[in-house]
Coordinates of all heavy atoms in Angstrom, one line a residue:
M20 N 0.8 -1.2 0.0 CA 0.0 0.0 0.0 C 0.9 1.3 0.0 O 1.9 1.3 0.6 CB -0.9 0.0 1.2 CG -1.9 1.1 1.2 SD -3.4 0.6 1.8 CE -3.6 1.2 3.3
E21 N 0.4 2.3 -0.7 CA 1.2 3.5 -0.9 C 1.0 4.4 0.3 O -0.1 4.6 0.8 CB 0.7 4.2 -2.1 CG 1.6 5.4 -2.5 CD 1.2 6.0 -3.8 OE1 1.2 5.3 -4.8 OE2 0.8 7.1 -3.8
R22 N 2.0 5.0 0.8 CA 1.9 5.9 1.9 C 1.4 7.3 1.5 O 1.7 7.7 0.4 CB 3.3 6.1 2.5 CG 3.9 4.9 3.2 CD 5.3 5.3 3.7 NE 5.6 4.5 4.8 CZ 6.8 4.6 5.4 NH1 7.7 5.5 5.0 NH2 7.0 3.9 6.4
P23 N 0.6 8.0 2.4 CA 0.1 9.3 2.0 C 1.1 10.3 1.8 O 0.9 11.3 1.0 CB -0.8 9.6 3.2 CG -1.0 8.4 4.0 CD 0.1 7.5 3.6
V24 N 2.3 10.2 2.4 CA 3.3 11.1 2.3 C 3.9 11.1 0.8 O 4.3 12.1 0.3 CB 4.4 11.0 3.3 CG1 5.3 9.7 3.0 CG2 5.3 12.2 3.4
Y25 N 3.8 10.0 0.2 CA 4.3 9.9 -1.2 C 3.4 10.7 -2.1 O 3.9 11.3 -3.1 CB 4.4 8.4 -1.7 CG 5.5 7.6 -1.0 CD1 5.4 6.3 -0.7 CD2 6.7 8.3 -0.6 CE1 6.4 5.6 -0.1 CE2 7.8 7.6 0.0 CZ 7.6 6.2 0.2 OH 8.6 5.5 0.8
R26 N 2.1 10.7 -1.9 CA 1.2 11.5 -2.7 C 1.5 12.9 -2.6 O 1.6 13.7 -3.5 CB -0.2 11.2 -2.3 CG -0.8 10.0 -2.8 CD -2.3 10.0 -2.6 NE -2.6 8.6 -2.2 CZ -3.7 8.3 -1.5 NH1 -4.5 9.2 -1.1 NH2 -3.9 7.1 -1.1
L27 N 1.8 13.4 -1.3 CA 2.1 14.7 -1.1 C 3.5 15.1 -1.7 O 3.6 16.2 -2.4 CB 2.2 15.0 0.4 CG 2.6 16.4 0.8 CD1 1.6 17.4 0.4 CD2 2.8 16.5 2.3
L28 N 4.4 14.2 -1.7 CA 5.7 14.5 -2.3 C 5.6 14.6 -3.8 O 6.2 15.4 -4.5 CB 6.7 13.4 -1.9 CG 7.2 13.5 -0.5 CD1 8.1 12.3 -0.2 CD2 7.9 14.8 -0.2
R29 N 4.8 13.7 -4.4 CA 4.5 13.8 -5.9 C 3.9 15.1 -6.3 O 4.2 15.7 -7.3 CB 3.7 12.6 -6.3 CG 4.5 11.3 -6.4 CD 3.6 10.2 -7.0 NE 4.3 8.9 -6.8 CZ 3.7 7.8 -6.5 NH1 2.4 7.8 -6.3 NH2 4.4 6.7 -6.3
L30 N 2.9 15.5 -5.4 CA 2.2 16.8 -5.7 C 3.2 17.9 -5.6 O 3.2 18.8 -6.5 CB 1.1 17.0 -4.7 CG 0.3 18.3 -4.9 CD1 -0.4 18.4 -6.2 CD2 -0.7 18.4 -3.7
V31 N 4.0 17.9 -4.6 CA 5.0 19.0 -4.4 C 6.0 19.0 -5.6 O 6.4 20.0 -6.1 CB 5.8 18.9 -3.1 CG1 7.0 19.8 -3.0 CG2 4.8 19.1 -1.9
F32 N 6.4 17.8 -6.0 CA 7.3 17.7 -7.2 C 6.7 18.2 -8.4 O 7.3 18.9 -9.2 CB 7.8 16.2 -7.3 CG 8.6 16.0 -8.6 CD1 10.0 16.5 -8.6 CD2 8.1 15.4 -9.7 CE1 10.7 16.3 -9.7 CE2 8.9 15.3 -10.8 CZ 10.2 15.7 -10.8
A33 N 5.4 17.8 -8.7 CA 4.7 18.3 -9.9 C 4.5 19.8 -9.9 O 4.7 20.4 -10.9 CB 3.3 17.6 -9.9
L34 N 4.2 20.4 -8.7 CA 4.0 21.8 -8.6 C 5.4 22.5 -8.8 O 5.5 23.5 -9.5 CB 3.4 22.2 -7.3 CG 2.0 21.9 -7.1 CD1 1.5 22.2 -5.7 CD2 1.1 22.6 -8.1
G35 N 6.4 22.0 -8.3 CA 7.8 22.5 -8.5 C 8.2 22.5 -9.9 O 8.8 23.4 -10.5
L36 N 7.9 21.4 -10.6 CA 8.2 21.2 -12.0 C 7.4 22.2 -12.8 O 8.0 22.8 -13.7 CB 8.0 19.8 -12.4 CG 8.4 19.4 -13.9 CD1 9.9 19.6 -14.0 CD2 8.0 18.0 -14.2
A37 N 6.2 22.3 -12.5 CA 5.3 23.3 -13.3 C 5.8 24.7 -13.1 O 5.9 25.5 -14.0 CB 3.9 23.2 -12.8
H38 N 6.2 25.0 -11.9 CA 6.7 26.4 -11.6 C 8.1 26.6 -12.3 O 8.3 27.7 -12.9 CB 6.9 26.6 -10.1 CG 7.3 27.9 -9.7 ND1 8.6 28.2 -9.3 CD2 6.6 29.1 -9.7 CE1 8.7 29.5 -9.0 NE2 7.5 30.1 -9.2
A39 N 8.9 25.6 -12.3 CA 10.2 25.8 -13.0 C 10.0 26.0 -14.5 O 10.7 26.8 -15.2 CB 11.1 24.5 -12.8
L40 N 9.0 25.2 -15.1 CA 8.8 25.4 -16.5 C 8.2 26.8 -16.8 O 8.5 27.4 -17.8 CB 7.8 24.3 -17.0 CG 8.4 22.9 -17.1 CD1 7.3 21.9 -17.4 CD2 9.5 22.8 -18.1
F41 N 7.3 27.3 -15.9 CA 6.8 28.6 -16.1 C 7.9 29.6 -16.1 O 7.9 30.6 -16.9 CB 5.7 28.9 -15.0 CG 5.2 30.3 -15.0 CD1 4.3 30.7 -15.9 CD2 5.6 31.2 -14.0 CE1 3.8 32.0 -15.9 CE2 5.2 32.5 -14.0 CZ 4.3 32.9 -14.9
L42 N 8.8 29.5 -15.1 CA 9.9 30.5 -15.0 C 10.8 30.4 -16.2 O 11.3 31.4 -16.7 CB 10.7 30.3 -13.7 CG 10.0 30.6 -12.4 CD1 10.9 30.2 -11.2 CD2 9.6 32.1 -12.4
L43 N 11.0 29.2 -16.7 CA 11.9 29.0 -17.9 C 11.2 29.7 -19.1 O 11.9 30.4 -19.9 CB 12.1 27.5 -18.2 CG 13.0 27.2 -19.3 CD1 14.4 27.7 -19.1 CD2 13.0 25.7 -19.6
G44 N 9.9 29.6 -19.2 CA 9.2 30.3 -20.3 C 9.3 31.8 -20.2 O 9.5 32.5 -21.2
Q45 N 9.1 32.3 -19.0 CA 9.3 33.7 -18.8 C 10.7 34.2 -19.2 O 10.8 35.3 -19.8 CB 9.0 34.1 -17.3 CG 7.6 34.2 -16.9 CD 7.4 34.8 -15.5 OE1 8.2 34.5 -14.7 NE2 6.3 35.5 -15.3
E46 N 11.7 33.5 -18.8 CA 13.0 33.9 -19.2 C 13.2 33.8 -20.7 O 13.9 34.7 -21.2 CB 14.1 33.0 -18.5 CG 14.2 33.2 -17.0 CD 14.6 34.7 -16.7 OE1 15.5 35.2 -17.4 OE2 14.0 35.3 -15.8
A47 N 12.6 32.9 -21.4 CA 12.7 32.8 -22.8 C 12.1 34.1 -23.4 O 12.6 34.7 -24.4 CB 12.1 31.5 -23.3
V48 N 10.9 34.4 -22.9 CA 10.2 35.6 -23.4 C 11.1 36.9 -23.2 O 11.2 37.7 -24.0 CB 8.8 35.8 -22.8 CG1 8.2 37.1 -23.1 CG2 7.9 34.7 -23.3
R49 N 11.6 37.0 -22.0 CA 12.4 38.1 -21.6 C 13.7 38.2 -22.5 O 14.1 39.3 -22.9 CB 12.8 38.1 -20.2 CG 13.6 39.3 -19.7 CD 13.8 39.3 -18.2 NE 12.6 39.2 -17.4 CZ 12.5 38.5 -16.3 NH1 13.5 37.8 -15.8 NH2 11.3 38.5 -15.7
A50 N 14.3 37.1 -22.8 CA 15.5 37.0 -23.6 C 15.2 37.5 -25.0 O 15.9 38.3 -25.6 CB 16.1 35.6 -23.6
H51 N 14.0 37.1 -25.5 CA 13.6 37.5 -26.9 C 13.3 39.0 -26.9 O 13.8 39.7 -27.8 CB 12.3 36.8 -27.3 CG 11.7 37.1 -28.6 ND1 12.4 36.8 -29.8 CD2 10.6 37.8 -28.9 CE1 11.7 37.3 -30.8 NE2 10.6 37.9 -30.3
Q52 N 12.7 39.6 -25.9 CA 12.4 41.0 -25.8 C 13.7 41.8 -25.7 O 13.9 42.8 -26.3 CB 11.5 41.3 -24.6 CG 10.1 40.9 -24.8 CD 9.3 41.0 -23.5 OE1 9.8 41.2 -22.4 NE2 8.0 40.9 -23.7
L53 N 14.7 41.3 -24.9 CA 15.9 42.0 -24.8 C 16.7 41.9 -26.1 O 17.4 42.9 -26.4 CB 16.8 41.4 -23.7 CG 16.3 41.7 -22.2 CD1 17.1 40.9 -21.2 CD2 16.3 43.1 -22.0
A54 N 16.6 40.9 -26.8 CA 17.3 40.8 -28.1 C 16.7 41.8 -29.1 O 17.5 42.5 -29.8 CB 17.2 39.4 -28.7
K55 N 15.4 42.0 -29.1 CA 14.8 42.9 -30.0 C 15.2 44.4 -29.6 O 15.5 45.2 -30.4 CB 13.3 42.8 -30.0 CG 12.8 41.5 -30.7 CD 11.3 41.3 -30.5 CE 10.5 42.3 -31.3 NZ 9.1 42.1 -31.2
E56 N 15.2 44.6 -28.3 CA 15.6 45.9 -27.7 C 17.1 46.2 -28.1 O 17.4 47.3 -28.5 CB 15.4 46.0 -26.2 CG 15.8 47.3 -25.6 CD 14.8 48.4 -25.8 OE1 13.8 48.1 -26.4 OE2 15.2 49.5 -25.5
R57 N 17.9 45.2 -28.0 CA 19.3 45.4 -28.4 C 19.5 45.8 -29.9 O 20.2 46.6 -30.2 CB 20.1 44.1 -28.1 CG 21.6 44.2 -28.4 CD 22.3 43.0 -28.1 NE 23.7 43.1 -28.5 CZ 24.6 42.2 -28.3 NH1 24.2 41.0 -27.8 NH2 25.8 42.4 -28.7
E58 N 18.7 45.1 -30.7 CA 18.8 45.4 -32.1 C 18.3 46.8 -32.4 O 18.9 47.5 -33.2 CB 17.9 44.4 -32.9 CG 18.4 43.0 -33.0 CD 17.4 42.0 -33.7 OE1 16.4 42.5 -34.2 OE2 17.7 40.8 -33.6
R59 N 17.3 47.2 -31.7 CA 16.7 48.6 -31.9 C 17.8 49.6 -31.4 O 18.0 50.6 -32.1 CB 15.5 48.8 -31.1 CG 14.8 50.1 -31.3 CD 13.6 50.3 -30.4 NE 14.0 50.4 -29.0 CZ 14.5 51.5 -28.4 NH1 14.7 52.6 -29.1 NH2 14.8 51.5 -27.1
L60 N 18.4 49.4 -30.3 CA 19.4 50.3 -29.8 C 20.7 50.3 -30.7 O 21.3 51.4 -30.9 CB 19.8 49.9 -28.4 CG 18.7 50.2 -27.3 CD1 19.2 49.6 -26.0 CD2 18.4 51.6 -27.2
E61 N 21.1 49.2 -31.2 CA 22.2 49.1 -32.1 C 21.9 50.0 -33.4 O 22.8 50.7 -33.9 CB 22.6 47.7 -32.5 CG 23.3 47.0 -31.3 CD 23.6 45.5 -31.7 OE1 23.1 45.0 -32.7 OE2 24.3 44.9 -30.9
E62 N 20.7 49.9 -33.9 CA 20.3 50.7 -35.1 C 20.3 52.2 -34.7 O 20.8 53.0 -35.5 CB 18.9 50.2 -35.5 CG 18.4 51.0 -36.7 CD 19.3 50.9 -38.0 OE1 19.9 49.8 -38.1 OE2 19.3 51.8 -38.8
A63 N 19.9 52.5 -33.5 CA 19.9 53.9 -33.1 C 21.3 54.4 -33.0 O 21.6 55.6 -33.4 CB 19.2 54.1 -31.8
V64 N 22.2 53.6 -32.5 CA 23.6 54.0 -32.4 C 24.2 54.2 -33.8 O 25.0 55.2 -34.0 CB 24.4 52.9 -31.6 CG1 25.9 53.2 -31.7 CG2 24.0 53.0 -30.1
H65 N 23.9 53.3 -34.7 CA 24.4 53.4 -36.1 C 23.9 54.7 -36.7 O 24.7 55.4 -37.4 CB 23.9 52.2 -36.9 CG 24.4 52.2 -38.3 ND1 25.7 52.1 -38.7 CD2 23.7 52.4 -39.4 CE1 25.8 52.2 -40.0 NE2 24.6 52.4 -40.5
Q66 N 22.6 55.0 -36.5 CA 22.1 56.3 -37.1 C 22.8 57.5 -36.4 O 23.1 58.5 -37.1 CB 20.6 56.3 -36.9 CG 19.8 55.4 -37.7 CD 18.3 55.4 -37.4 OE1 17.9 56.0 -36.5 NE2 17.6 54.6 -38.2
A67 N 23.0 57.4 -35.1 CA 23.7 58.6 -34.4 C 25.1 58.7 -34.9 O 25.6 59.9 -35.1 CB 23.6 58.3 -32.9
E68 N 25.8 57.6 -35.2 CA 27.2 57.7 -35.7 C 27.2 58.3 -37.1 O 28.1 59.1 -37.4 CB 27.8 56.3 -35.7 CG 28.2 55.8 -34.3 CD 28.7 54.4 -34.3 OE1 28.5 53.7 -35.3 OE2 29.2 54.0 -33.3
A69 N 26.2 57.9 -37.9 CA 26.1 58.5 -39.3 C 25.8 60.0 -39.2 O 26.4 60.8 -40.0 CB 25.0 57.8 -40.1
R70 N 25.0 60.4 -38.3 CA 24.7 61.8 -38.1 C 25.9 62.6 -37.6 O 26.2 63.7 -38.1 CB 23.5 62.0 -37.1 CG 23.1 63.4 -36.9 CD 21.8 63.6 -36.1 NE 21.4 64.9 -36.1 CZ 21.4 65.7 -34.9 NH1 21.7 65.1 -33.8 NH2 21.0 66.9 -35.0
V71 N 26.7 62.0 -36.7 CA 27.9 62.7 -36.3 C 28.9 62.8 -37.4 O 29.5 63.9 -37.6 CB 28.5 61.9 -35.1 CG1 30.0 62.3 -34.8 CG2 27.7 62.0 -33.9
A72 N 29.0 61.8 -38.3 CA 29.9 61.9 -39.4 C 29.4 63.0 -40.4 O 30.3 63.8 -40.9 CB 29.9 60.6 -40.2
R73 N 28.1 63.1 -40.6 CA 27.6 64.2 -41.5 C 27.9 65.6 -40.9 O 28.3 66.5 -41.6 CB 26.1 64.1 -41.7 CG 25.7 63.0 -42.7 CD 24.3 63.1 -43.1 NE 23.3 63.2 -42.0 CZ 22.8 62.2 -41.4 NH1 23.0 60.9 -41.8 NH2 21.9 62.4 -40.4
L74 N 27.7 65.7 -39.5 CA 28.0 67.0 -38.9 C 29.4 67.4 -38.9 O 29.8 68.5 -39.1 CB 27.5 67.0 -37.4 CG 25.9 66.9 -37.3 CD1 25.6 66.7 -35.8 CD2 25.3 68.2 -37.8
R75 N 30.3 66.4 -38.8 CA 31.8 66.6 -38.8 C 32.1 67.1 -40.2 O 33.0 68.0 -40.4 CB 32.6 65.4 -38.5 CG 32.6 65.2 -37.0 CD 33.5 64.1 -36.6 NE 33.5 63.9 -35.1 CZ 33.8 62.9 -34.5 NH1 34.2 61.8 -35.1 NH2 33.7 62.8 -33.2
A76 N 31.5 66.5 -41.3 CA 31.8 66.9 -42.6 C 31.3 68.4 -42.8 O 32.0 69.2 -43.5 CB 31.1 66.0 -43.6
E77 N 30.2 68.7 -42.2 CA 29.7 70.1 -42.4 C 30.6 71.1 -41.7 O 30.8 72.2 -42.2 CB 28.3 70.2 -41.8 CG 27.2 69.6 -42.6 CD 25.8 69.8 -42.0 OE1 25.6 70.8 -41.2 OE2 24.9 69.0 -42.3
V78 N 31.2 70.7 -40.5 CA 32.1 71.6 -39.8 C 33.4 71.8 -40.6 O 33.9 72.9 -40.7 CB 32.5 71.0 -38.4 CG1 33.7 71.7 -37.8 CG2 31.3 71.0 -37.5
E79 N 33.9 70.7 -41.2 CA 35.0 70.8 -42.1 C 34.7 71.7 -43.3 O 35.6 72.6 -43.7 CB 35.5 69.5 -42.6 CG 36.2 68.6 -41.5 CD 36.6 67.3 -42.0 OE1 36.6 67.1 -43.3 OE2 36.8 66.4 -41.2
A80 N 33.5 71.6 -43.9 CA 33.2 72.4 -45.0 C 33.0 73.9 -44.6 O 33.4 74.8 -45.4 CB 31.9 71.9 -45.6
A81 N 32.5 74.1 -43.4 CA 32.3 75.5 -42.9 C 33.7 76.2 -42.7 O 33.7 77.4 -42.7 CB 31.5 75.5 -41.6
Q82 N 34.8 75.5 -42.5 CA 36.1 76.1 -42.3 C 36.8 76.3 -43.7 O 37.8 77.0 -43.7 CB 36.9 75.1 -41.5 CG 36.4 75.0 -40.0 CD 37.1 74.0 -39.2 OE1 37.9 73.2 -39.8 NE2 36.8 73.9 -38.0
D83 N 36.2 75.9 -44.8 CA 36.8 76.1 -46.1 C 36.3 77.5 -46.6 O 35.1 77.7 -46.8 CB 36.3 75.0 -47.0 CG 36.9 75.2 -48.4 OD1 38.0 75.8 -48.5 OD2 36.3 74.6 -49.3
P84 N 37.2 78.4 -46.9 CA 36.8 79.7 -47.4 C 36.0 79.7 -48.7 O 35.1 80.5 -48.9 CB 38.1 80.5 -47.6 CG 39.1 79.7 -46.8 CD 38.7 78.3 -46.7
A85 N 36.3 78.8 -49.6 CA 35.6 78.7 -50.8 C 34.1 78.3 -50.6 O 33.2 78.8 -51.2 CB 36.3 77.7 -51.8
H86 N 34.0 77.4 -49.7 CA 32.6 77.0 -49.3 C 31.8 78.1 -48.7 O 30.6 78.3 -49.0 CB 32.6 75.8 -48.4 CG 31.3 75.3 -48.0 ND1 30.5 74.6 -48.8 CD2 30.6 75.4 -46.8 CE1 29.4 74.2 -48.2 NE2 29.4 74.7 -47.0
L87 N 32.4 78.9 -47.8 CA 31.8 80.0 -47.2 C 31.4 81.1 -48.2 O 30.3 81.7 -48.1 CB 32.7 80.6 -46.1 CG 32.9 79.7 -44.9 CD1 33.9 80.4 -43.9 CD2 31.6 79.5 -44.2
E88 N 32.3 81.3 -49.2 CA 32.0 82.2 -50.2 C 30.8 81.8 -51.1 O 29.9 82.6 -51.4 CB 33.2 82.5 -51.1 CG 32.9 83.5 -52.2 CD 34.2 83.8 -53.0 OE1 35.2 83.3 -52.7 OE2 34.0 84.5 -54.1
A89 N 30.7 80.5 -51.4 CA 29.6 80.0 -52.2 C 28.3 80.1 -51.4 O 27.3 80.5 -52.0 CB 29.9 78.5 -52.5
L90 N 28.3 79.9 -50.1 CA 27.1 80.1 -49.3 C 26.7 81.5 -49.3 O 25.5 81.8 -49.4 CB 27.4 79.6 -47.9 CG 27.5 78.1 -47.6 CD1 27.8 77.8 -46.2 CD2 26.2 77.4 -48.0
A91 N 27.7 82.4 -49.1 CA 27.3 83.9 -49.1 C 26.7 84.3 -50.5 O 25.8 85.1 -50.5 CB 28.6 84.7 -48.8
R92 N 27.3 83.8 -51.6 CA 26.8 84.1 -52.9 C 25.3 83.6 -53.1 O 24.5 84.3 -53.7 CB 27.7 83.6 -54.0 CG 29.0 84.4 -54.0 CD 29.8 84.1 -55.2 NE 31.0 84.9 -55.2 CZ 31.1 86.2 -55.7 NH1 30.1 86.7 -56.2 NH2 32.3 86.8 -55.6
R93 N 25.0 82.5 -52.5 CA 23.7 81.9 -52.6 C 22.7 82.8 -51.9 O 21.5 82.9 -52.2 CB 23.6 80.5 -52.0 CG 24.0 79.5 -52.9 CD 23.7 78.1 -52.4 NE 24.8 77.2 -52.6 CZ 25.2 76.2 -51.9 NH1 24.5 75.9 -50.8 NH2 26.3 75.5 -52.2
L94 N 23.2 83.5 -50.8 CA 22.3 84.5 -50.1 C 22.3 85.8 -50.8 O 21.6 86.8 -50.3 CB 22.9 84.7 -48.7 CG 22.8 83.4 -47.8 CD1 23.5 83.7 -46.5 CD2 21.3 83.0 -47.5
G95 N 23.0 86.0 -51.9 CA 22.9 87.3 -52.7 C 24.0 88.3 -52.3 O 23.9 89.4 -52.7
M96 N 24.9 87.9 -51.5 CA 26.0 88.8 -51.1 C 27.0 88.9 -52.2 O 27.3 87.9 -52.9 CB 26.7 88.3 -49.8 CG 25.7 88.3 -48.7 SD 26.6 87.7 -47.2 CE 25.3 87.7 -46.0
V97 N 27.6 90.1 -52.3 CA 28.7 90.3 -53.3 C 29.9 91.0 -52.6 O 29.8 91.5 -51.5 CB 28.2 91.2 -54.5 CG1 27.1 90.5 -55.3 CG2 27.7 92.5 -54.0
R98 N 31.0 91.0 -53.3 CA 32.2 91.6 -52.8 C 32.0 93.1 -53.0 O 31.3 93.6 -53.8 CB 33.4 91.1 -53.5 CG 33.7 89.7 -53.1 CD 35.0 89.2 -53.9 NE 35.2 87.8 -53.6 CZ 36.2 87.4 -52.9 NH1 37.0 88.2 -52.3 NH2 36.4 86.1 -52.7
P99 N 32.8 93.9 -52.2 CA 32.7 95.4 -52.4 C 33.0 95.9 -53.8 O 32.4 96.8 -54.2 CB 33.7 95.9 -51.4 CG 33.9 94.8 -50.4 CD 33.7 93.6 -51.1
E100 N 33.9 95.3 -54.5 CA 34.3 95.7 -55.8 C 33.4 95.2 -56.9 O 33.4 95.6 -58.0 CB 35.7 95.3 -56.1 CG 36.0 93.9 -56.3 CD 36.3 93.2 -55.0 OE1 36.3 93.8 -53.9 OE2 36.5 92.0 -55.0
E101 N 32.4 94.3 -56.6 CA 31.5 93.8 -57.6 C 30.2 94.6 -57.6 O 29.8 95.2 -56.7 CB 31.2 92.3 -57.2 CG 32.4 91.4 -57.3 CD 32.0 90.0 -56.9 OE1 31.0 89.7 -56.2 OE2 32.8 89.1 -57.3
I102 N 29.5 94.5 -58.8 CA 28.3 95.2 -58.9 C 27.2 94.1 -59.1 O 27.3 93.2 -59.9 CB 28.3 96.1 -60.2 CG1 29.4 97.2 -60.0 CG2 26.9 96.7 -60.4 CD1 29.6 98.0 -61.3
L103 N 26.1 94.3 -58.3 CA 25.0 93.3 -58.4 C 24.0 93.7 -59.5 O 23.5 94.8 -59.5 CB 24.3 93.2 -57.0 CG 23.1 92.3 -57.0 CD1 23.6 90.9 -57.2 CD2 22.4 92.4 -55.6
K104 N 23.8 92.8 -60.4 CA 22.8 93.1 -61.5 C 21.7 92.1 -61.3 O 21.8 90.9 -61.2 CB 23.5 92.9 -62.9 CG 24.5 93.9 -63.2 CD 25.0 93.7 -64.6 CE 26.1 94.7 -64.9 NZ 26.6 94.5 -66.3
R105 N 20.5 92.7 -61.2 CA 19.3 91.8 -61.1 C 18.9 91.4 -62.4 O 18.9 92.1 -63.4 CB 18.2 92.6 -60.4 CG 18.6 92.9 -59.0 CD 17.4 93.5 -58.2 NE 17.8 93.8 -56.9 CZ 17.4 93.2 -55.8 NH1 16.6 92.2 -55.9 NH2 17.8 93.5 -54.6
R106 N 18.3 90.2 -62.5 CA 17.8 89.6 -63.8 C 16.4 89.9 -63.9 O 15.6 90.1 -63.1 CB 18.0 88.1 -63.8 CG 19.5 87.7 -63.8 CD 19.6 86.2 -63.8 NE 21.0 85.9 -63.7 CZ 21.4 84.7 -63.8 NH1 20.6 83.7 -64.1 NH2 22.7 84.4 -63.7

């Protein structure tokens, strides 16, 4: 005949096993979410690095006198010895 304590031990084991499987499932979901978040953050870092590179290129261009003159001419500025003729 089976002892009553064995039934209790089987129940405790089954509950522990169910709890362990539940926690394992939660960890799998969390790992998946963290992987997606990491991909999103890596893409954001890549975009930020590209923006920094573009801004550095603009800073270098702003230090070039020829580039500054071209910008000024687009705004309609002329040198003192030049005459502005409207079209």
Side-chain angles (χ1 to χ4, degrees):
M20 187 142 102
E21 189 175 301
R22 291 178 152 177
V24 75
Y25 290 148
R26 280 192 224 157
L27 179 63
L28 289 175
R29 284 187 190 138
L30 177 63
V31 169
F32 176 75
L34 288 174
L36 185 61
H38 186 252
L40 290 174
F41 174 73
L42 291 177
L43 184 64
Q45 277 188 329
E46 286 301 316
V48 169
R49 187 176 298 144
H51 179 69
Q52 289 172 344
L53 288 175
K55 288 173 72 175
E56 180 73 9
R57 180 180 178 182
E58 289 174 9
R59 185 187 66 79
L60 290 174
E61 286 176 349
E62 179 61 29
V64 167
H65 179 69
Q66 290 175 357
E68 287 173 346
R70 184 169 182 245
V71 166
R73 284 193 309 270
L74 290 173
R75 284 188 178 155
E77 285 183 27
V78 167
E79 287 179 16
Q82 294 172 353
D83 182 22
H86 179 72
L87 292 176
E88 183 178 349
L90 288 177
R92 290 190 179 274
R93 278 190 224 149
L94 293 174
M96 297 180 182
V97 293
R98 293 179 183 253
E100 67 272 0
E101 296 177 336
I102 299 173
L103 179 64
K104 293 184 180 179
R105 295 191 181 249
R106 293 181 187 187

